[in-house]
Amino acid sequence: QVQLVESGGGLVQPGGSLRLSCEASGSSFRDNVMGWYRQAPGKERELVAIISTGGGTNYADSVKGRFTISRDNAKNLVDLQMNNLKSEDTAVYYCYSKRWDRSPYWGQGTQVTVSS
């Protein structure tokens, strides 16, 4: 079993920054694609950013240039640095982990609220 625990959410003003962190345990972190999804009230969960086992990344158009995903395989961590936050970024953010031949695992989510 894989467990994912997110941290770092909170309330920030527009233009501010937050850094989310996800710690994984229970399986080989190095072999898994990692990512962040988010779900705003009344909307479906959407991909924010992913990072491959080799470190390649991809981002939703809405966050390109503002968010950066990274991973530390030695510490089983994946982070999401969020800069220049907008009100539209308000959502619950979920950590995601998937090995190629298995179903994904999800964290419990951490709330990010961007408001004046």
Side-chain angles (χ1 to χ4, degrees), residues 55-114:
T57 59
N58 197 16
Y59 299 89
D61 287 342
S62 60
V63 307
K64 286 181 180 177
R66 301 188 297 119
F67 291 11
T68 302
I69 188 171
S70 61
R71 66 191 297 162
D72 185 337
N73 290 338
K75 298 180 179 180
N76 288 359
L77 294 174
V78 59
D79 290 346
L80 185 69
Q81 178 65 47
M82 305 186 295
N83 297 326
N84 192 24
L85 284 160
K86 304 175 180 180
S87 60
E88 305 94 272
D89 297 317
T90 296
V92 177
Y93 284 70
Y94 297 91
C95 185
Y96 164 97
S97 177
K98 187 182 186 304
R99 204 173 76 180
W100 71 273
D101 59 343
R102 294 184 179 273
S103 298
Y105 291 89
W106 297 91
Q108 293 300 304
T110 185
Q111 177 71 48
V112 172
T113 302
V114 185

